[in-house]
């Protein structure tokens, strides 16, 4: 099985088909959809619990007062708002005392500045040779969201460009074969890494190596007229790559800008049962409401099977561990048991990078070993969600009603109940009523937000519904108010107005509502 994951891109077509169908027969690949959660040591819900969950997650009908427990979006792990920029950095209130040392050790690894190899600090060497940041925390400052550079000399640390090229007639991978079996041969667009550049543009390098290039952004201002005579200017970005270090980029290169996501509540999102998320999917829009969420399906390196994607802007990773290990690999150039390549995202054409000294093959094995990955994963999984603010404010309640009336809640599903989990280490996430405002599904967001870069099952117009909890604390935690996958929106209203595709009707309703209603809607979002 291990060889399958290492050679997804190179196995002959016939061999892949034979192996994939064999795996389906063994139950390793689910058919038609994977509804189990191998990463969740969950206890099966009883019929009574299912009824209880359905009752507490039913859509709100009364907006005259807050719902029960609405002020605690992270369940019993919700932490009080500290009033400072560290409110996203806290462990959950229900974290057992015996686990707090693991949380702090994970925090230290999250903040660690990696250095080049060889180094006298063996536990910290292995950076690059090509990379985007020297630590996790450099992208996720205060565990908050990243931002685009605001001027030519501004650093680009918390934002990067995903890269790919169309797969053409390249042999199908095992995952692609499965998706073709599920969706039809033409339903899933296939990609491959860019020759000489890989899957991601690394704009930094160690001494003696050439960076891959520099992300450049130009903006076009687009005026939008709203009801009541209000006008707003939205900025449309145009991306390019200057100073390409490894040859001309191909004409068909696919570029997708990504800012770092905020880190709170990841373990709670991971603990939502897959069957609950899949129950929200309506790919054929059978109910006729114009909303047709689809699950992304991805290959799990940890569990060696197809799983539901949950993390990243297009739900490209299935678990917190794999999201973390992928970031170490692509962003910092650090190898781990799931990504054992010490040269990071370097390609076969980047010979000097592949042959560079690295920090692997010492007592740790990989540049960050499984113990280190477990600690970082534990930290990322247990960053607490802060309490809501002003839940009983009349304007906030009116904004909440408008949020539902305009259809925003059709994708930004307010409430979920997590699985009942076994093990003390999973106690903070077990059987919690949470309020993340996401369905974790893919939705067509229209041409305006399209990056035209597919990712597994996601098309170039589809994005995962972003969780909204904590969004009103962005300015305080991250020092800016930029939103969406590339930070183009400079405030929450701009973010709403960029919605298209399945969200076009909701977006139009916002432009047409009276100004005082728009203000109430934004006030509600700021309370999250």
């Amino acid at each position: 099985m291990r060889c399958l994951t290492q050679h997804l891109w190179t196995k002959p077509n016939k061999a892949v088909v034979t192996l994939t169908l064999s795996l389906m027969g063994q139950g390793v690949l689910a058919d038609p959809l994977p509804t189990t959660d191998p990463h969740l040591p969950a206890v099966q819900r009883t019929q009574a619990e299912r009824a209880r969950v359905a009752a507490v997650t039913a859509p709100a009908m009364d907006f005259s007062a807050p719902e029960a427990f609405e002020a605690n979006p992270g369940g019993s792990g919700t932490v009080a708002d500290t009033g400072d920029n560290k409110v996203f950095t806290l462990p959950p209130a229900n974290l057992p005392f015996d686990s707090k040392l693991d949380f702090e050790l994970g925090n230290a690894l999250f903040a660690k500045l990696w250095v080049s190899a060889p180094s006298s600090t063996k536990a910290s060497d292995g950076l690059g040779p090509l990379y985007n940041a020297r630590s996790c925390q450099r992208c996720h400052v205060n565990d908050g969201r990243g931002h685009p550079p605001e001027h030519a000399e501004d650093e680009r640390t918390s934002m990067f460009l995903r890269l790919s090229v169309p797969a053409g007639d390249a042999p199908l991978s095992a995952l692609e074969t499965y998706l073709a079996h599920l969706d039809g041969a033409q339903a899933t667009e296939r990609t491959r890494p860019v020759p000489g550049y890989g899957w991601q543009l690394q704009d930094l390098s160690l001494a003696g190596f050439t960076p891959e290039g520099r992300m450049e952004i130009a903006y076009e201002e687009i005026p939008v007229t709203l009801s009541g005579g209000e006008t707003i200017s939205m900025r449309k970005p145009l991306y390019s790559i200057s100073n390409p270090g490894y040859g001309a980029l191909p004409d068909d290169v696919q570029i997708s800008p990504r800012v770092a996501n905020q880190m709170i509540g990841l373990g709670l999102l991971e603990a939502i049962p897959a069957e609950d998320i899949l129950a929200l999917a309506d790919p054929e829009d059978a109910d006729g409401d114009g909303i047709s969420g689809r699950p992304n399906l991805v290959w799990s390196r940890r569990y060696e099977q197809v799983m539901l994607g949950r993390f990243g802007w297009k739900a490209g990773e299935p678990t917190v561990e794999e999201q973390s290990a992928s970031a170490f690999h692509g962003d910092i150039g650090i190898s781990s048991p799931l990504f054992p390549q010490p040269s990071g995202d370097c390609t076969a054409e980047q010979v000097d990078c592949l042959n560079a000294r690295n920090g692997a093959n010492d007592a740790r094995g990989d540049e960050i070993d499984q113990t280190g990955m477990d600690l970082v994963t534990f930290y990322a999984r247990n960053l607490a969600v802060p309490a809501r603010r002003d839940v009983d404010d009349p304007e906030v309640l009116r904004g909440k009603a408008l949020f539902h009336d305009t259809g925003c809640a059709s994708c930004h599903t307010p409430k979920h109940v997590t699985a009942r989990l076994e093990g003390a280490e999973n106690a903070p996430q077990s059987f919690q009523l949470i309020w993340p405002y996401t369905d974790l599904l893919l939705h067509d967001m229209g041409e305006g937000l399209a990056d035209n870069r597919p990712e597994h099952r996601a098309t170039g117009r589809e994005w995962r519904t972003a969780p909204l909890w904590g969004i009103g604390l962005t300015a305080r935690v991250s020092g800016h108010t930029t939103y969406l996958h590339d930070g183009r929106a400079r405030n929450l209203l701009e973010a709403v107005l960029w919605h298209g595709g399945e969200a076009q009707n909701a977006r139009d309703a916002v432009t047409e509502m009276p100004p005082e209603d728009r203000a109430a809607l934004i006030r509600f979002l700021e309370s999250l």
Side-chain angles (χ1 to χ4, degrees):
M1 287 297 299
R2 181 71 62 184
C3 64
L4 174 62
T5 62
Q6 292 175 345
H7 300 287
L8 281 175
W9 310 115
T10 58
K11 281 186 173 292
N13 198 347
K14 182 178 180 181
V16 169
V17 172
T18 302
L19 179 56
T20 303
L21 296 178
S22 172
L23 293 174
M24 287 179 181
Q26 298 170 35
V28 177
L29 295 186
D31 184 10
L33 286 175
T35 59
T36 58
D37 294 280
H39 66 299
L40 292 179
V43 178
Q44 190 70 23
R45 285 177 181 165
T46 65
Q47 185 173 355
E49 283 182 339
R50 289 178 182 274
R52 181 181 169 195
V53 168
V56 300
T57 58
M61 302 299 290
D62 178 9
F63 300 99
S64 63
E67 296 174 74
F69 310 111
E70 187 174 3
N72 297 319
S76 63
T78 302
V79 294
D81 183 357
T82 57
D84 59 20
N85 63 358
K86 302 299 183 184
V87 68
F88 284 3
T89 69
L90 305 175
N94 58 357
L95 185 71
F97 178 80
D98 292 346
S99 298
K100 291 185 178 179
L101 178 59
D102 286 345
F103 182 85
E104 294 302 333
L105 290 172
N107 185 14
L109 287 170
F110 192 83
K112 173 192 282 192
L113 289 174
W114 293 84
V115 298
S116 60
S119 169
S120 58
T121 54
K122 296 295 184 184
S124 300
D125 67 356
L127 175 67
L130 306 177
Y131 61 96
N132 295 101
R134 290 182 57 195
S135 74
C136 306
Q137 192 167 268
R138 292 294 298 274
C139 295
H140 304 275
V141 177
N142 296 328
D143 296 306
R145 68 181 69 230
H147 63 91
E150 293 303 323
H151 51 78
E153 301 306 317
D154 194 6
E155 65 176 18
R156 286 146 170 76
T157 306
S158 64
M159 182 178 182
F160 61 80
L161 299 178
R162 288 260 191 249
L163 304 175
S164 60
V165 291
D169 58 359
L172 287 165
S173 73
L175 176 60
E176 290 167 343
T177 302
Y178 171 69
L179 294 179
H181 165 80
L182 183 67
D183 293 332
Q186 304 302 315
T188 301
E189 301 174 73
R190 303 186 301 124
T191 61
R192 291 293 182 270
V194 179
Y197 291 88
W199 292 107
Q200 185 168 317
L201 184 76
Q202 275 92 25
D203 58 355
L204 300 174
S205 69
L206 300 178
F209 294 87
T210 302
E212 290 183 333
R214 177 181 168 89
M215 173 183 64
E216 305 291 353
I217 313 175
Y219 290 106
E220 173 190 354
E221 293 289 338
I222 302 175
V224 177
T225 301
L226 308 176
S227 65
E230 184 181 356
T231 61
I232 186 172
S233 182
M234 297 162 54
R235 58 179 186 177
K236 178 181 178 180
L238 177 65
Y239 297 94
S240 60
I241 298 172
S242 64
N243 303 320
Y246 295 86
L249 288 153
D251 293 337
D252 58 353
V253 64
Q254 299 162 324
I255 296 175
S256 181
R258 309 284 176 91
V259 298
N261 268 303
Q262 63 184 28
M263 298 288 294
I264 58 171
L266 299 185
L268 295 169
L269 296 177
E270 186 179 49
I272 300 172
E275 63 178 334
D276 290 3
I277 298 170
L278 295 174
L280 297 171
D282 185 17
E284 304 302 325
D285 192 19
D287 61 6
D289 66 352
I291 307 299
S292 52
R294 301 194 310 144
N296 204 354
L297 300 177
V298 303
W299 184 260
S300 168
R301 295 172 178 83
R302 169 58 64 202
Y303 298 101
E304 296 184 332
Q305 68 176 59
V306 172
M307 287 178 58
L308 174 69
R310 299 171 188 251
F311 301 105
W313 286 103
K314 287 181 180 276
E317 295 291 347
T319 66
V320 175
E321 180 194 19
E322 291 175 76
Q323 175 69 22
S324 301
S326 175
F328 269 112
H329 168 78
D331 302 353
I332 313 177
I334 296 296
S335 64
S336 66
L338 292 181
F339 290 85
Q341 306 85 2
S343 54
D345 189 43
C346 292
T347 68
E349 297 84 4
Q350 295 169 315
V351 177
D352 289 344
C353 180
L354 294 176
N355 293 334
R357 300 285 295 272
N358 60 70
N361 302 315
D362 57 17
R364 293 170 294 161
D366 297 297
E367 291 166 331
I368 182 169
D369 60 15
Q370 190 60 51
T371 298
M373 278 305 312
D374 289 345
L375 289 169
V376 171
T377 301
F378 186 83
Y379 174 74
R381 187 176 281 145
N382 283 285
L383 284 163
V385 181
R388 280 275 307 279
R389 299 155 312 287
D390 304 323
V391 293
D392 57 353
D393 181 281
E395 187 176 26
V396 169
L397 290 169
R398 188 160 67 91
K400 178 184 174 183
L402 291 163
F403 185 86
H404 284 73
D405 289 346
T406 56
C408 301
S410 297
C411 301
H412 290 283
T413 306
K415 297 172 281 186
H416 298 272
V417 173
T418 61
R420 191 184 292 280
L421 305 178
E422 297 176 342
E425 71 279 7
N426 297 308
Q429 291 82 40
S430 181
F431 208 55
Q432 300 292 319
L433 171 62
I434 61 173
W435 304 70
Y437 286 87
T438 177
D439 58 10
L440 294 179
L441 295 173
L442 301 171
H443 293 275
D444 182 338
M445 295 300 292
E447 189 59 35
L449 286 178
D451 66 351
N452 300 309
R453 181 184 181 272
E455 187 171 330
H456 306 307
R457 204 183 188 200
T459 71
R461 290 168 56 105
E462 288 180 317
W463 299 93
R464 180 199 68 161
T465 305
L468 297 182
W469 52 12
I471 197 167
L473 294 170
T474 300
R476 189 204 305 167
V477 170
S478 301
H480 63 79
T481 56
T482 60
Y483 304 98
L484 301 177
H485 66 280
D486 56 2
R488 70 176 66 187
R490 292 164 291 195
N491 53 59
L492 289 171
L493 180 56
E494 283 187 43
V496 171
L497 297 180
W498 272 110
H499 285 50
E502 295 175 44
Q504 186 67 44
N505 289 339
R507 182 262 188 202
D508 291 346
V510 173
T511 67
E512 295 165 5
M513 64 176 54
E516 58 271 22
D517 284 356
R518 269 197 305 275
L521 176 64
I522 298 303
R523 181 78 177 85
F524 164 69
L525 294 175
E526 290 172 343
S527 78
L528 296 179

